[in-house]
Amino acid sequence: MAKQEDQFKKVVSHAKEYGYVFQSSEIYDGLSAVYDYAQNGVELKKNIRDYWWRAMVQMHDNIVGLDAAIFMHPTTWKASGHVDAFSDPLIDNKDSKKRYRADVLVEDYVGKLDTKIEKEVKKAAKRFGESFDKAQFLETNPRVLQYKEKGAAILKRLGQSLEKEDLADVKALIEELEIACPLSGSRNWTDVKQFNLMFGTKLGASAETAMDLYLRPETAQGIFVNFLNVQKTSRMKIPFGIAQTGKAFRNEIVARQFIFRMREFEQMEMQFFVKPGTQKEWYEKWKETRLKWHMSLGMGEDNYRFHDHEKLAHYADAATDIEFKFPFGFKELEGIHSRTDFDLKAHEEFSGKKLQYFDHEENKSYVPYVVETSIGLDRMFLAIFSNALQEEALENGTTRTVLKLPAVLAPTKAAVLPLVKKDGLPEIARQIIDDLKWDFNVIYDEKDAVGRRYRRQDANGTPFCITVDHETLNDNSVTIRHRDTMEQKRVKIEALKEIIKQETDVKTWLMKM
Ligand code: ATP
């Protein structure tokens, strides 16, 4: 646990030191769970958004984009169920005065059982050596099975209690499991209460006539209310999808995990409209497609898993999370939900307008069913950043800090370094930058010895360093150094563009899907 915490602290401080993420309003001691993306962070975030957009919109001729406003008519949130049901169960510890999400306390308890299982696996792998069969071990080892059964039973009971709104039983479960406040160790809990997560604001100049609005807690509703406008103007036929990226706001009860849980964050969502009865098929298809997208970034198959929901949201008939192994354990990264016709029907009812699709093949109108894929851009950023940050032991006994970001997402693709600040080398380096900057984000760096500059670019996540030296003056060749392998090659200046393109081009990466 201490190791995990250390690793997480390193992630947070590296993000600040290298200009990725700053706390919002830091000079005023910050604002809780609100963050700013700095010069490198904004590039990484943009590249992730672009990688998602290309995979979802550009690569699918039946998916189009949308950019709906953050403010929406307040009735939207009555129809969607958010006014009545968008709340989390909270519990306070009377001694530490700290507030927690009751469901998260229980889920973290189950997470610890998972960690125990992982430990058993490691121990057994050591004991059995090469003959170790992990899958068989997980299915037969009595201790593992006991942990698994216990975890499943707890989650089932939690799911059922939340479903029935039986908050007294959620508290009873916390007490039975002897869950203590992680901060104080105290088990002196208040009752569990529901807390609505939407931020309210007002529209209008005078207090009497101002209209109460909400900041949107999800981008999805902007898609639903525009469904028919988009369908008619694009002449899309079902099945088709509408994709959107944008800010969402939630007054989260507990927001202590850096950019994992923020009060202002960005979502990348796609609502896929299908014929009623075919939703299960599409749900499976999108589960598979989205997992492939994650895999294309090469962050390790073992770092992902599906977690099917026991407790379904008020709008869903099936739901799963793609979980990622963050420095603090497996947690939700993306949700895939079969949302039925709940939202469109509710908007029909509340607006009095029809939101139906005329199916020419069937010769009838119906309200389509919806399968949604919803991923947090900031969470994806954290997944990538924390996975990429590594301390690597080198052959010469030293270590280096390297940020092995997938090259396609790296903020800067190459740094161009003149070996010395004289003899015409800086001019050549500047010329290389001028040629490359049309295609890639590149930077110039002449400060410090070249070895230190390499280390700085490693820690910054830059996939290539290009060094201009005295030989360059004779034969137009430079050294290109690869961040991950540290291999250096002598190449002609004219070849640089193609070499960088091969490793950073979106096409090369998306083709892995
Ligand atoms: P959680 O259970 O972690 O609160 P959720 O199930 O409420 O998440 P969804 O409503 O399904 O989340 O939202 C879709 C995605 O939006 C999530 O998978 C996550 O990546 C992202 N997300 C949700 N809440 C936040 C937040 N407060 N900060 C950052 N990202 C978030």
Side-chain angles (χ1 to χ4, degrees):
M1 204 62 180
K3 206 171 147 210
Q4 281 189 352
E5 272 168 30
D6 281 355
Q7 171 62 12
F8 190 42
K9 275 189 194 148
K10 272 187 201 150
V11 167
V12 178
S13 64
H14 196 88
K16 179 173 179 194
E17 193 182 337
Y18 284 86
Y20 277 85
V21 183
F22 298 153
Q23 191 166 26
S24 157
S25 338
E26 200 192 67
I27 59 165
Y28 295 105
D29 296 332
L31 186 63
S32 164
V34 187
Y35 292 90
D36 297 339
Y37 287 88
Q39 69 277 13
N40 284 318
V42 68
E43 296 288 343
L44 175 56
K45 198 173 166 199
K46 175 169 70 63
N47 292 344
I48 300 170
R49 193 191 294 111
D50 188 49
Y51 194 68
W52 181 87
W53 190 267
R54 293 233 202 167
M56 299 299 275
V57 182
Q58 195 169 327
M59 300 309 294
H60 288 100
D61 59 9
N62 61 351
I63 298 181
V64 292
L66 178 77
D67 185 14
I70 288 172
F71 290 145
M72 297 184 71
H73 192 284
T75 310
T76 309
W77 307 109
K78 285 212 180 79
S80 68
H82 284 80
V83 171
D84 295 325
F86 192 57
S87 46
D88 278 340
L90 71 83
I91 189 165
D92 290 297
N93 186 276
K94 289 184 194 162
D95 296 323
S96 68
K97 309 273 181 265
K98 282 279 167 201
R99 180 159 278 189
Y100 296 93
R101 256 175 70 176
D103 55 335
V104 172
L105 282 179
V106 176
E107 281 165 9
D108 283 351
Y109 180 93
V110 174
K112 282 184 194 143
L113 296 177
D114 287 341
T115 313
K116 284 186 181 163
I117 294 176
E118 276 177 34
K119 273 196 189 140
E120 293 292 335
V121 170
K122 265 197 196 138
K123 261 199 309 196
K126 220 177 190 178
R127 196 164 0 116
F128 295 115
E130 281 195 355
S131 63
F132 180 60
D133 180 342
K134 186 176 166 188
Q136 194 193 359
F137 180 80
L138 284 174
E139 270 169 29
T140 53
N141 180 273
R143 207 170 291 164
V144 168
L145 291 180
Q146 206 185 348
Y147 289 141
K148 272 201 204 163
E149 267 169 35
K150 187 172 176 190
I154 294 171
L155 289 179
K156 187 160 183 205
R157 177 162 157 203
L158 175 70
Q160 285 170 345
S161 307
L162 290 173
E163 188 92 277
K164 288 186 293 192
E165 289 274 320
D166 185 354
L167 300 181
D169 190 56
V170 178
K171 181 175 181 189
L173 184 59
I174 289 175
E175 285 176 338
E176 278 167 40
L177 296 173
E178 300 187 341
I179 295 176
C181 164
L183 214 73
S184 64
S186 148
R187 294 195 200 121
N188 193 6
W189 296 109
T190 62
D191 286 343
V192 178
K193 284 180 289 211
Q194 289 290 12
F195 175 78
N196 195 296
L197 301 180
M198 283 198 294
F199 280 103
T201 184
K202 292 205 180 287
L203 179 143
S206 84
E208 299 83 62
T209 57
M211 190 183 200
D212 286 317
L213 290 191
Y214 294 106
L215 298 185
R216 65 179 178 198
E218 61 176 23
T219 57
Q221 297 304 324
I223 297 181
F224 293 128
V225 300
N226 278 300
F227 153 72
L228 214 51
N229 280 342
V230 174
Q231 191 272 322
K232 286 197 167 142
T233 52
S234 62
R235 281 176 278 126
M236 285 291 192
K237 285 207 180 79
I238 270 176
F240 77 93
I242 305 177
Q244 168 164 236
T245 70
K247 286 273 171 105
F249 303 82
R250 295 183 188 178
N251 197 0
E252 296 282 0
I253 299 169
V254 186
R256 295 188 198 117
Q257 279 162 328
F258 192 40
I259 55 171
F260 178 81
R261 190 175 298 288
M262 301 155 91
R263 297 205 162 97
E264 172 182 343
F265 59 100
E266 195 164 334
Q267 288 186 314
M268 307 192 284
E269 296 199 304
M270 193 278 299
Q271 310 295 326
F272 201 69
F273 300 90
V274 305
K275 194 153 87 179
T278 63
Q279 70 272 20
K280 184 81 190 131
E281 204 179 297
W282 284 109
Y283 170 72
E284 294 302 334
K285 171 94 176 44
W286 279 109
K287 268 176 80 169
E288 188 190 316
T289 309
R290 291 302 305 145
L291 190 64
K292 276 192 192 155
W293 180 83
H294 286 283
M295 291 303 150
S296 73
L297 289 169
M299 297 204 293
E301 257 177 65
D302 289 349
N303 287 326
Y304 297 85
R305 69 181 188 195
F306 281 115
H307 169 237
D308 296 332
H309 287 206
E310 278 284 336
K311 182 200 175 215
L312 292 172
H314 56 275
Y315 50 74
D317 72 358
T320 195
D321 297 335
I322 296 180
E323 293 189 335
F324 184 76
K325 197 171 182 188
F326 287 96
F328 36 83
F330 272 103
K331 294 275 175 205
E332 171 176 347
L333 170 59
E334 169 159 8
I336 296 161
H337 311 125
S338 174
R339 289 182 81 127
T340 68
D341 55 1
F342 175 88
D343 301 89
L344 291 180
K345 275 223 167 112
H347 288 305
E348 276 198 327
E349 192 189 315
F350 279 77
S351 69
K353 311 264 163 49
K354 282 225 170 308
L355 288 175
Q356 302 201 352
Y357 168 80
F358 184 75
D359 190 325
H360 285 278
E361 276 167 29
E362 304 253 329
N363 202 25
K364 65 172 188 196
S365 295
Y366 53 76
V367 177
Y369 269 48
V370 174
V371 175
E372 155 186 89
T373 71
S374 172
I375 175 168
L377 175 49
D378 313 85
R379 257 185 218 185
M380 187 63 196
F381 185 111
L382 181 60
I384 291 166
F385 193 86
S386 57
N387 188 263
L389 184 60
Q390 294 174 22
E391 289 288 329
E392 215 173 60
L394 301 179
E395 274 171 14
N396 64 7
T398 61
T399 56
R400 69 162 179 157
T401 302
V402 53
L403 193 62
K404 291 189 172 175
L405 297 171
V408 63
L409 303 178
T412 306
K413 304 303 186 207
V416 186
L417 327 170
L419 188 64
V420 290
K421 281 187 247 177
K422 53 182 186 184
D423 304 336
L425 304 189
E427 287 73 13
I428 300 178
R430 295 268 182 209
Q431 184 58 51
I432 293 174
I433 299 246
D434 279 347
D435 289 343
L436 293 177
K437 73 181 179 194
W438 297 92
D439 298 289
F440 315 103
N441 246 352
V442 283
I443 57 159
Y444 177 80
D445 188 3
E446 63 173 21
K447 193 167 173 288
D448 300 322
V450 80
R452 286 193 60 181
R453 280 182 267 170
Y454 284 157
R455 287 289 179 276
R456 189 154 62 226
Q457 294 305 329
D458 287 347
N460 222 20
T462 311
F464 294 105
C465 282
I466 297 159
T467 307
V468 177
D469 55 24
H470 292 96
E471 234 180 290
T472 313
L473 298 171
N474 301 329
D475 64 2
N476 240 8
S477 72
V478 288
T479 301
I480 185 161
R481 174 185 179 274
H482 199 279
R483 176 196 67 197
D484 296 347
T485 58
M486 294 192 292
E487 199 182 54
Q488 302 190 19
K489 260 195 211 148
R490 201 79 204 170
V491 300
K492 291 283 182 211
I493 290 176
E494 308 86 78
L496 286 172
K497 187 173 152 189
E498 200 46 43
I499 296 173
I500 300 171
K501 184 165 176 259
Q502 262 175 19
E503 283 213 25
T504 60
D505 198 24
V506 177
K507 183 176 171 188
T508 321
W509 289 77
L510 279 182
M511 293 268 280
K512 295 182 202 157
M513 264 184 84

